[in-house]
Amino acid sequence: MRAAAPLVDAPHSATADEVLVALRSDSSAGLTPDESRERVSRYGRNELPRAAGPGVLRRWWNQIRNPLVLVLVAAGTTTLAIGHYVDSAVIFGVVVLNAIVGYVQESRARQALDALTRLVRTDCTVLRAGQRHTVPSAELVPGDVVMLEAGDRVPADARLLATRDLECDESALTGESLPAAKTTEPVPERAPLASRSCLVHSGTLVTRGTARAVVVATGLDTEIGAVQGMVAAAEAPPTPLTRKLTKFSKQLTVAIVAVAVVTFAAGVLRGSAPVEMFIAAVALAVAAIPEGLPAVVTVVLAIGVVRMSRRRAVVRHLPAVETLGSTTVICSDKTGTITANEMTVVDVIAAGEVYSVSGTGFSPEGELNHRDSPIDLLGHPALVECLVTAVLCNDAELRHEQGRWHAVGDPTEVALLTVAGKAGLDWTVLRRNAARVDELPFESQRRMMATLNRESDGTVIGHAKGAVERIVEWCDSAMAPDESRVPLDTDAVLERAHTLAAQGLRVLACARFRPRDGTPALDEQDVRGRMMLVGLIAMHDAPREGVVEAVAACHQAGVAVKMITGDHPETARRVAAEIGLGARGGEPAVVTGAELAQLAADAFDVAAVDTDVFARVSPAQKLDLVEAFQRQGHVVAMTGDGINDAPALRKADIGVAMGTVGTEAARDASDMVLADDDFTSIEAAVEEGRGVFDNLRKFITWILPTNVGQGLVILTAVVLGMTLPVLPVQVLWINMTTAVVLGLTLAFEAKEPGIMLRPPRPPRRPLLTTDLVRRILLVSAVLVAGAFTAFQLQQHSGHSLDVARTTAINVIIFAMIAFLLSCRSLERFIAFRVNWWLFGGIGLMVLLQLALTYAPVMQVLFHTAAIGADGWLLVLAFTALTYLVVELDKALWRHKDTRAERVTVQQGKGHRHGTFRR
């Protein structure tokens, strides 16, 4: 049993010495090996328990426990009990086939995800009895003193004891896009997580500097551990498709049982033997159950998975494909999801002139424009000097390897190299021709960095960059357009910087200076009050390419997009405005986590719907927002990549994690993983999901008349005391061949035109609408009438019972072929889209029917006989009648539905939070 760790209450508000005393540790010696071993046994290993996936048997059971499959199991068991072994074998064969398809697909998804999330075991440097040792991070305990440097992954939550220029990337935990500067000074006890500058947290990355820290929390006691606890507590809701199929299955089961009971009662009342009527009732139930539905549902979803895999998306659970098609709200993280988590320079101000910069990310592809025109660097010497300073006073590296740009170092410094490349400057040449001879490294207290560089002629020039306020404070002049010194207008520079910062931009100032007496040594006295301001550089984390179009497509489809981030409100507002999140193209509505915390429950729900951007939110508030949308009937998709996104990913109707930069916690909590982190794939997934649901509805609409019609044929024959037009073994032939050979081809239908122009499906709308139920009953009536009419006419014409039944079978089969062609679109007339699977399926079905009708072996097995020209005329007549009846019904339905759709879309256009008809 794990004991409570001897942690200091709020270690961020205590001094380093107080924390060391409470943990019984020493800053210079750490713990002894014996103390370390004792604490491991007392507090446990520094690991997060990985959720064990379901075992093999559980995964098989998950494939079988589908309500429709359980209905089939019951039917198969019943038929086996009464001695119908062939029927039972066929039904159980369908159950096994369906389970195999689902199991194999989920196994493939699991293997792909395991390959994606496989992480290398991390080691760390720790002091043990005053000596440095490299140990696995899992062996750390509270009280251990660890050494950190740039590039290290922080192994546990720790209180900083000593730092030098320390910065950490905490975006995965806090949502902040910029590295956080760290110090040893305590902060107020109620300081939010992002402001606890004296703590480093497990799983975050050291981007700059070095530090010594004492471990205060390990395993589940860390901030990551707290998030994992929230993930475990967030119960994943059933998907919309699962809910609809469950409800549909229950309704279908009730209907089948009711009809079977009526059949049994009607036969007994007519004087038939109870045992005989029980067998007839079971036969009717078998006829009415759509055996192929579970398998086809699985195959349709699997096809959607394959199509998504072409967009580099790994689907962990089959229903997730369809769920995106039902989505009404997408809640997206900003950093790394909407943006690339790559700082991009957007403006350079040199000698009072503003130069705009195109292009995004770290790739130096783009250009600088002055007054909307491309520039010639020869005519802008002040701009050149500003960019040269940005390159030389810089520790980052940017390399082009294997066709891609790879950045090493602080994202802000990488962005400075990128903008120099866009201007046509070669940073490698500049650095080679102006070697660094000394430097004043960046420190959070100093808020600036300075270097001395010796140029090729031997001249030593100083370069500096940093916070605008600090650089301006230490400048005594500014560079003029002709590179001469002019008086510095401090107020004007600070006002310009404040204006840029209010737009969500990070602003750096660049300056030059000459060392005292030309000596190649550097200290603060060399730069304080002696620098010349050469320019300002404004940058931000730009949206990913294609995100603007993807967001616009979602809005056009009636799907709301909400940005939920831990970043600064103004930064989030700017990005939201760039990607078009504001209602009707206006200013995005922004609410902070602190403001959400003050709202009552009702007001919280209203704010959730009316707000475009949620900034500075905690993981718990992300979860609250998802639940707020779900309470209002929305189907919520949550995208994210950070540890702080995991609880909301788990709770959302579908969680979509980033595969490249995403954390393991986020991927484990998700239903779908985007391997390339491309937000535009979300919009494609919504479209794909709608297509999957359309094809499912087409199949269900098509298959049910076969089952309902056959059930009604048996019921009518029993009630009227007539000879059965179709035998049970013939019923099984019809059910299995049509479902697999014909119905399955609908899974390959292309998406309907304009699928992203219609509003989302109302979450509470049933799988089958009233119009589709009417059409199913209409086609069922045609099949019953056709089967009975053909059966009776053939008998009255003197044909044998087998010939009459064979004619009835072919009437049903070919009428279903006509209905299949009509079901390619449930709203439109003849679909001219090519589906070779469908045409091949029809051809195969015709060949099978000819074999059933004329092959001697088939005649013996299925009690059929050859039919003549008069029989085929009846088949063709009812085939044409079926198609005409359905198309007429479709025309009436489309006229009414189009008017309702037009009104809904017009009411919903420009609406901030999407529309759907309830």
Side-chain angles (χ1 to χ4, degrees):
M1 188 74 176
R2 182 187 170 101
L7 303 181
V8 181
D9 289 336
H12 54 279
S13 64
T15 66
D17 288 339
E18 289 172 340
V19 173
L20 286 168
V21 170
L23 294 173
R24 302 187 300 279
S25 184
D26 184 271
S27 175
S28 59
L31 302 176
T32 66
D34 290 341
E35 288 175 326
S36 173
R37 285 190 292 270
E38 188 272 333
R39 294 191 184 192
V40 168
S41 63
R42 192 194 316 172
Y43 307 128
R45 291 171 64 83
N46 179 33
E47 296 175 325
L48 294 179
R50 188 182 181 96
V56 174
L57 293 179
R58 179 70 177 181
R59 288 160 64 191
W60 277 110
W61 169 242
N62 288 340
Q63 309 305 322
I64 297 174
R65 67 177 183 174
N66 179 292
L68 284 175
V69 178
L70 292 179
V71 172
L72 286 178
V73 171
T77 303
T78 304
T79 54
L80 179 64
I82 63 177
H84 288 211
Y85 302 116
V86 175
D87 297 359
S88 179
V90 171
I91 293 173
F92 281 119
V94 172
V95 172
V96 172
L97 177 63
N98 174 70
I100 290 174
V101 172
Y103 183 88
V104 169
Q105 174 56 41
E106 292 209 10
S107 296
R108 288 179 176 176
R110 180 181 295 272
Q111 291 170 4
L113 194 72
D114 287 344
L116 189 66
T117 60
R118 194 177 297 117
L119 298 178
V120 178
R121 187 181 185 185
T122 59
D123 294 331
C124 60
T125 302
V126 61
L127 287 179
R128 294 278 166 83
Q131 300 294 318
R132 291 194 178 207
H133 296 273
T134 300
V135 301
S137 59
E139 296 181 7
L140 287 183
V141 292
D144 263 327
V145 175
V146 295
M147 315 302 292
L148 301 172
E149 60 184 27
D152 286 348
R153 183 75 61 179
V154 178
D157 285 5
R159 174 63 163 85
L160 292 169
L161 305 175
T163 65
R164 178 177 175 82
D165 310 328
L166 186 68
E167 290 187 357
C168 292
D169 178 2
E170 298 181 332
S171 59
L173 191 60
T174 66
E176 291 279 3
S177 59
L178 298 176
K182 296 294 183 176
T183 69
T184 60
E185 297 301 316
V187 297
E189 182 175 347
R190 295 189 177 183
L193 186 65
S195 300
R196 297 176 186 177
S197 56
C198 60
L199 293 182
V200 288
H201 299 288
S202 177
T204 60
L205 183 68
V206 178
T207 59
R208 180 200 291 269
T210 60
R212 177 178 298 194
V214 59
V215 174
V216 296
T218 59
L220 286 173
D221 292 328
T222 62
E223 291 294 335
I224 291 180
V227 173
Q228 188 181 60
M230 294 172 61
V231 174
E235 184 178 352
T239 67
L241 178 63
T242 302
R243 292 195 294 264
K244 287 182 172 66
L245 284 177
T246 300
K247 183 177 181 180
F248 172 71
S249 301
K250 291 178 180 178
Q251 293 172 339
L252 186 61
T253 301
V254 171
I256 290 172
V257 172
V259 174
V261 170
V262 169
T263 302
F264 176 80
V268 171
L269 290 176
R270 286 186 57 85
S272 299
V275 174
E276 179 183 346
M277 285 301 95
F278 178 76
I279 295 174
V282 171
L284 184 147
V286 172
I289 294 173
E291 289 92 344
L293 181 56
V296 171
V297 168
T298 301
V299 171
V300 171
L301 293 175
I303 291 171
V305 168
V306 172
R307 290 175 176 172
M308 284 306 303
S309 68
R310 295 169 185 163
R311 301 298 300 269
R312 295 182 57 77
V314 179
V315 177
R316 301 183 65 197
H317 310 293
L318 288 180
V321 181
E322 185 277 334
T323 306
L324 272 170
S326 309
T327 298
T328 58
V329 175
I330 296 176
C331 297
S332 176
D333 185 35
K334 179 186 76 68
T335 304
T337 308
I338 288 178
T339 66
N341 199 17
E342 297 176 351
M343 297 301 291
T344 300
V345 175
V346 293
D347 288 312
V348 179
I349 298 95
E353 299 293 336
V354 179
Y355 302 87
S356 60
V357 185
S358 63
T360 61
F362 291 158
S363 173
E365 297 176 0
E367 61 182 15
L368 277 69
N369 292 279
H370 181 242
R371 298 173 184 172
D372 298 327
S373 299
I375 64 168
D376 180 356
L377 284 180
L378 294 177
H380 303 272
L383 171 64
V384 174
E385 297 305 322
C386 179
L387 296 178
V388 168
T389 292
V391 169
L392 297 180
C393 187
N394 192 318
D395 291 327
E397 296 286 343
L398 187 60
R399 308 186 188 98
H400 193 260
E401 299 172 351
Q402 299 179 345
R404 296 185 59 186
W405 288 96
H406 297 272
V408 179
D410 184 87
T412 299
E413 294 193 327
V414 175
L416 299 178
L417 296 183
T418 300
V419 70
K422 292 176 181 179
L425 300 178
D426 189 328
W427 55 82
T428 58
V429 173
L430 289 174
R431 288 175 171 178
R432 185 168 58 248
N433 293 337
R436 184 181 300 183
V437 295
D438 198 9
E439 68 177 289
L440 196 64
F442 178 89
E443 289 184 358
S444 55
Q445 295 88 347
R446 188 186 296 127
R447 296 189 298 160
M448 57 89 68
M449 172 186 180
T451 64
L452 285 180
N453 298 79
R454 189 184 304 277
E455 299 184 353
S456 55
D457 61 359
T459 305
V460 177
I461 300 294
H463 303 273
K465 76 172 191 308
V468 178
E469 295 83 356
R470 177 50 49 86
I471 295 293
V472 168
E473 178 186 350
W474 288 4
C475 282
D476 63 354
S477 59
M479 180 177 287
D482 60 359
E483 300 181 75
S484 62
R485 284 179 176 263
V486 295
L488 175 65
D489 188 343
T490 302
D491 292 339
V493 173
L494 293 177
E495 183 178 355
R496 171 66 64 87
H498 177 75
T499 301
L500 293 171
Q503 298 172 8
L505 300 175
R506 185 182 188 189
V507 186
L508 294 179
C510 293
R512 286 211 175 174
F513 61 94
R514 287 190 177 274
R516 296 179 185 274
D517 304 323
T519 58
L522 189 59
D523 58 37
E524 286 192 11
Q525 299 305 316
D526 290 321
V527 297
R528 191 187 298 270
R530 303 183 63 248
M531 295 194 299
M532 174 178 62
L533 181 69
V534 294
L536 303 179
I537 299 179
M539 63 187 73
H540 77 137
D541 189 8
R544 287 180 177 271
E545 185 177 352
V547 168
V548 175
E549 294 78 8
V551 170
C554 288
H555 285 169
Q556 190 175 39
V559 180
V561 179
K562 308 286 186 178
M563 180 191 294
I564 304 178
T565 178
D567 219 335
H568 190 279
E570 290 304 324
T571 302
R573 187 193 305 275
R574 177 188 173 95
V575 173
E578 285 189 57
I579 65 175
L581 282 192
R584 302 183 185 274
E587 185 73 11
V590 181
V591 171
T592 66
E595 293 169 339
L596 285 176
Q598 304 300 319
L599 298 177
D602 292 345
F604 189 99
D605 287 356
V606 173
V609 172
D610 291 341
T611 304
D612 302 299
V613 180
F614 301 91
R616 294 287 198 217
V617 296
S618 65
Q621 288 175 324
K622 290 188 177 186
L623 194 60
D624 291 341
L625 285 168
V626 170
E627 293 174 337
F629 288 120
Q630 291 173 332
R631 282 194 297 270
Q632 298 174 75
H634 286 281
V635 177
V636 184
M638 172 72 187
T639 71
D641 61 352
I643 300 165
N644 59 337
D645 297 324
L649 288 172
R650 178 70 178 273
K651 182 62 179 177
D653 295 282
I654 178 168
V656 183
M658 305 296 114
T660 302
V661 301
T663 59
E664 184 176 5
R667 292 193 288 265
D668 285 346
S670 67
D671 301 291
M672 178 185 293
V673 180
L674 300 183
D676 57 1
D677 295 1
D678 190 350
F679 180 85
T680 59
S681 295
I682 302 299
E683 182 265 332
V686 171
E687 181 178 4
E688 192 64 49
R690 291 186 175 191
V692 166
F693 188 81
D694 281 355
N695 289 346
L696 282 176
R697 279 210 316 161
K698 291 172 185 176
F699 174 78
I700 294 172
T701 302
W702 175 82
I703 193 66
L704 285 185
T706 304
N707 302 101
V708 174
Q710 290 176 113
L712 290 176
V713 166
I714 295 174
L715 176 61
T716 303
V718 170
V719 171
L720 298 180
M722 300 171 58
T723 303
L724 289 179
V726 184
L727 294 174
V729 68
Q730 295 168 345
V731 166
L732 282 175
W733 167 266
I734 295 172
N735 285 358
M736 294 309 302
T737 55
T738 55
V740 176
V741 178
L742 294 179
L744 193 56
T745 64
L746 289 173
F748 298 91
E749 276 295 308
K751 294 182 286 291
E752 295 274 350
I755 195 171
M756 291 297 284
L757 298 178
R758 65 196 192 200
R761 294 189 311 277
R764 295 172 185 164
R765 178 188 286 180
L767 198 60
L768 296 177
T769 61
T770 303
D771 295 291
L772 286 182
V773 171
R774 185 193 66 249
R775 186 178 300 176
I776 289 169
L777 294 177
L778 182 63
V779 175
S780 299
V782 172
L783 291 180
V784 172
F788 268 106
T789 301
F791 179 75
Q792 293 295 333
L793 288 177
Q794 289 291 78
Q795 279 199 309
H796 290 163
S797 299
H799 293 292
S800 67
L801 184 61
D802 286 347
V803 169
R805 282 174 171 161
T806 304
T807 305
I809 294 171
N810 279 293
V811 165
I812 294 173
I813 292 290
F814 280 85
M816 292 307 294
I817 290 175
F819 189 33
L820 179 75
L821 292 172
S822 180
C823 282
R824 296 189 66 192
S825 176
L826 297 178
E827 294 87 11
R828 294 174 173 79
F829 295 125
I830 300 174
F832 293 102
R833 300 184 305 277
V834 176
N835 181 350
W836 294 112
W837 289 94
L838 182 136
F839 299 144
I842 291 175
L844 178 59
M845 192 71 244
V846 171
L847 292 176
L848 289 174
Q849 282 306 111
L850 292 176
L852 180 77
T853 304
Y854 297 107
V857 174
M858 301 293 282
Q859 290 174 346
V860 172
L861 291 175
F862 293 95
H863 309 289
T864 57
I867 62 176
D870 57 339
W872 285 114
L873 286 175
L874 287 172
V875 171
L876 293 177
F878 280 105
T879 300
L881 177 63
T882 302
Y883 189 82
L884 292 175
V885 167
V886 173
E887 291 301 307
L888 179 61
D889 178 72
K890 188 186 296 185
L892 296 174
W893 177 31
R894 176 171 171 77
H895 176 68
K896 180 187 72 171
D897 196 63
T898 300
R899 288 186 300 171
E901 193 88 358
R902 189 183 302 119
V903 171
T904 303
V905 173
Q906 288 175 347
Q907 290 174 345
K909 281 185 177 179
H911 203 255
R912 173 181 289 136
H913 48 84
T915 59
F916 50 80
R917 290 174 292 163
R918 295 187 183 277

